[in-house]
Amino acid sequence: MSMQQTITPVNGNVYAERPFAGENHINAVLDNAVKAQRAWALTPLEQRAAYCSSFCDALLTHIDEIALELAWQMGRPVSQAPNEVRTCIDRARYMIAEAPAGLAPLDPGPKEGFKRYVKRTPLGVVFVIAPWNYPLLTAVNSIIPAIMAGNVVVLKHAAQTQLVAERFQQAFDEAGLPDGVFQHIHVAGSTAEQLVRDTRIAHVNFTGSVPVGHAVSRAASERFISVGLELGGKDPAYVRADADVGFAVDNLIDGAFFNSGQSCCGIERIYAHESVFEEFVERAVAFTNTYRLGDPTNPETNIGPVVSAKAAAFIRSQVDEAVGQGARALINPAAFAADKAGTPYMAPQILINVDHSMRVMTEETFGPVVGIMKVKDDEEAIRLMNDSEYGLTAAIFTRDVEAAERIGDRVETGTVFLNRCDALDPALPWVGVKDTGRGYTLSRWGYETLTRPKSYHLRLPAG
């Protein structure tokens, strides 16, 4: 029997392994899901909310165990990992509270002799394919609203964080959720792609790379089902002349290097106005040199390894290539004792003298590297921010709110931030443009993607 392995970036050993689900097990899971969904769709919203709230309570009781598992599975420092659990729960509770508004029937207005309304009805079985970088947050974005909307969920988590799927299952089981409403399976990527074609699946939500997103989209195109895709990012920031430079540095460097830069909405490129460029860079270097790279299970560590030695090699290749093209690396890796070529441990890096002929400014890095370019005005910053295949978020640092809104109107992105970055507000839809994907999650608008409208056009009896 073939096994799915989690190779920990901490020391390169096998941390967890599980057998891949066989055909009989997969069929049993999907048949169980279809059967469970018929009953779940008729379950009152208040009852769904009670189960999902109990799930939140159950997950919270395992916060310390989950945090340690995250450190071993994907390298997040154990000092930071509990916050993902707490944020996951906060996000879930928001979507539970938002469900009555997001799922409320729509009234098109009165018409004499008729009763008319539109219900939001569930799609059926929702297949969630979740990534490793924020394994709880990316999964909960779809799972809780899908279940609240009357769907049932089958989760396939990334091999790197396969234990997260089991933690979700554990919490739902402890909450007493009816059998079949939430299930998880361990399958290879090729099997997951085949499942997209299965007639028992009604909606797919995938978070991951652009190439795999294309594969999911192609598989789904053979059927008339909906697909949500959150893919890559190369998120920019613009520091205007009137920005609070110290505040911008604190936020943007954290936005670039938190989670070792492995975030779809992490800051990967910064454009600083020429009048503040030197100060920004100087402060950014000083801030970066305060990071403590090391074993993520050590509470003193605040930046851990990237997910694998292969990922580190790719990131280093971008940096080396840029330096060969004239970029200047400002951080000395020797100052970070854990940094070592051939391993997932790599020092954070700041590059200047960069431009868009370099991969590091145009190709997703997904690591602790950020390039900083000098710009002369808003027009140049807007042009450079838009010079990307991606569009998830863009951050603007300025004291002029109206200027930020004007700039934001012209930036091709899903979210515009002012004086913050690398954040998500569940009250707002999480959406991307261009190669970042299609569809959206969270907020009351997120319920639209997990339901279909069903029209009621009723002629009232005469008299």
Side-chain angles (χ1 to χ4, degrees):
M1 180 180 292
S2 57
M3 305 290 284
Q4 175 170 274
Q5 291 187 329
T6 299
I7 307 298
T8 174
V10 176
N11 57 23
N13 293 334
V14 175
Y15 176 69
E17 57 182 358
R18 298 290 187 272
F20 283 124
E23 184 176 354
N24 289 341
H25 179 69
I26 292 170
N27 280 324
V29 165
L30 293 181
D31 286 343
N32 195 28
V34 171
K35 180 182 177 181
Q37 199 273 325
R38 297 190 188 107
W40 186 247
L42 301 175
T43 302
L45 188 59
E46 297 79 7
Q47 211 169 325
R48 297 179 205 162
Y51 282 120
C52 289
S53 295
S54 294
F55 158 81
C56 294
D57 295 338
L59 198 67
L60 188 60
T61 65
H62 300 286
I63 187 169
D64 292 333
E65 305 153 56
I66 295 171
L68 184 58
E69 287 175 356
L70 286 180
W72 281 102
Q73 288 177 97
M74 48 75 65
R76 174 99 44 74
V78 73
S79 61
Q80 299 168 350
N83 192 53
E84 181 171 356
V85 184
R86 285 189 286 267
T87 304
C88 170
I89 292 167
D90 290 345
R91 194 174 293 180
R93 293 197 194 281
Y94 181 88
M95 292 306 295
I96 294 166
E98 197 67 16
L103 298 170
L106 305 175
D107 182 358
K111 181 179 180 181
E112 187 175 353
F114 290 87
K115 181 179 181 181
R116 304 179 304 169
Y117 58 96
V118 181
K119 277 189 174 181
R120 295 198 180 279
T121 60
L123 301 175
V125 180
V126 173
F127 185 32
V128 176
I129 307 173
W132 54 264
N133 63 315
Y134 279 94
L136 284 92
L137 292 179
T138 52
V140 82
N141 288 356
S142 302
I143 291 172
I144 288 296
I147 290 173
M148 286 299 300
N151 302 290
V152 300
V153 169
V154 175
L155 170 65
K156 177 255 185 285
H157 221 298
Q160 195 68 40
T161 45
Q162 57 183 321
L163 299 187
V164 172
E166 297 178 3
R167 287 296 186 180
F168 271 82
Q169 189 73 64
Q170 177 187 35
F172 277 120
D173 290 348
E174 291 178 0
L177 190 71
D179 181 58
V181 177
F182 175 87
Q183 300 172 92
H184 74 281
I185 51 174
H186 297 307
V187 296
S190 57
T191 304
E193 185 179 334
Q194 293 170 19
L195 285 175
V196 175
R197 298 184 174 92
D198 194 291
T199 56
R200 290 166 289 189
I201 300 293
H203 176 83
V204 179
N205 191 282
F206 169 76
T207 305
S209 71
V210 172
V212 179
H214 279 301
V216 170
S217 185
R218 282 192 299 270
S221 70
E222 299 175 13
R223 304 180 53 222
F224 300 116
I225 63 171
S226 53
V227 178
L229 302 170
E230 190 203 321
L231 310 176
K234 191 72 181 175
D235 287 7
Y238 172 35
V239 183
R240 294 183 84 230
D242 67 340
D244 179 332
V245 176
F247 181 79
V249 166
D250 290 350
N251 281 269
L252 290 175
I253 296 305
D254 180 68
F257 297 151
F258 188 83
N259 205 38
S260 298
Q262 300 167 127
S263 172
C264 56
C265 62
I267 295 298
E268 295 212 359
R269 49 199 175 106
I270 299 172
Y271 306 100
H273 189 273
E274 58 188 8
S275 65
V276 296
F277 177 82
E278 299 295 340
E279 181 187 357
F280 183 89
V281 169
E282 182 180 347
R283 286 176 176 247
V285 169
F287 188 105
T288 302
N289 280 320
T290 67
Y291 277 92
R292 299 179 300 278
L293 172 68
D295 181 344
T297 66
N298 182 341
E300 298 301 311
T301 297
N302 63 2
I303 184 168
V306 297
V307 70
S308 67
K310 181 180 177 182
F314 169 78
I315 298 162
R316 287 186 171 103
S317 74
Q318 274 196 351
V319 173
D320 292 344
E321 183 180 287
V323 170
Q325 293 174 302
R328 187 174 155 214
L330 300 182
I331 304 300
N332 181 8
F336 295 80
D339 179 279
K340 186 178 180 182
T343 78
Y345 290 89
M346 59 178 301
Q349 187 56 265
I350 293 173
L351 297 171
I352 60 171
N353 298 345
V354 289
D355 61 48
H356 281 214
S357 71
M358 301 173 183
R359 283 193 304 148
V360 77
M361 294 300 286
T362 58
E363 184 180 89
E364 186 173 34
T365 303
F366 222 62
V369 176
V370 66
I372 308 176
M373 281 183 68
K374 183 188 300 184
V375 295
K376 65 180 183 297
D377 55 26
D378 292 350
E379 290 298 318
E380 185 178 14
I382 292 168
R383 177 180 63 79
L384 290 168
M385 283 193 282
N386 286 338
D387 184 27
S388 175
E389 297 175 352
Y390 303 106
L392 185 55
T393 77
I396 303 164
F397 282 75
T398 177
R399 290 181 170 90
D400 189 335
V401 177
E402 291 183 359
E405 290 175 319
R406 288 195 305 270
I407 294 167
D409 287 342
R410 296 175 58 193
V411 176
E412 297 159 353
T413 190
T415 296
V416 177
F417 289 121
L418 170 62
N419 296 330
R420 72 176 314 182
C421 63
D422 190 30
L424 190 155
D425 184 338
L428 302 172
W430 193 240
V431 58
V433 300
K434 299 190 276 190
D435 276 3
T436 291
R438 69 169 180 261
Y440 43 92
T441 56
L442 298 175
S443 77
R444 69 181 57 180
W445 289 274
Y447 280 108
E448 294 179 1
T449 68
L450 294 163
T451 57
R452 67 170 59 89
K454 184 174 184 178
S455 298
Y456 285 75
H457 190 174
L458 312 178
R459 187 193 297 273
L460 301 177

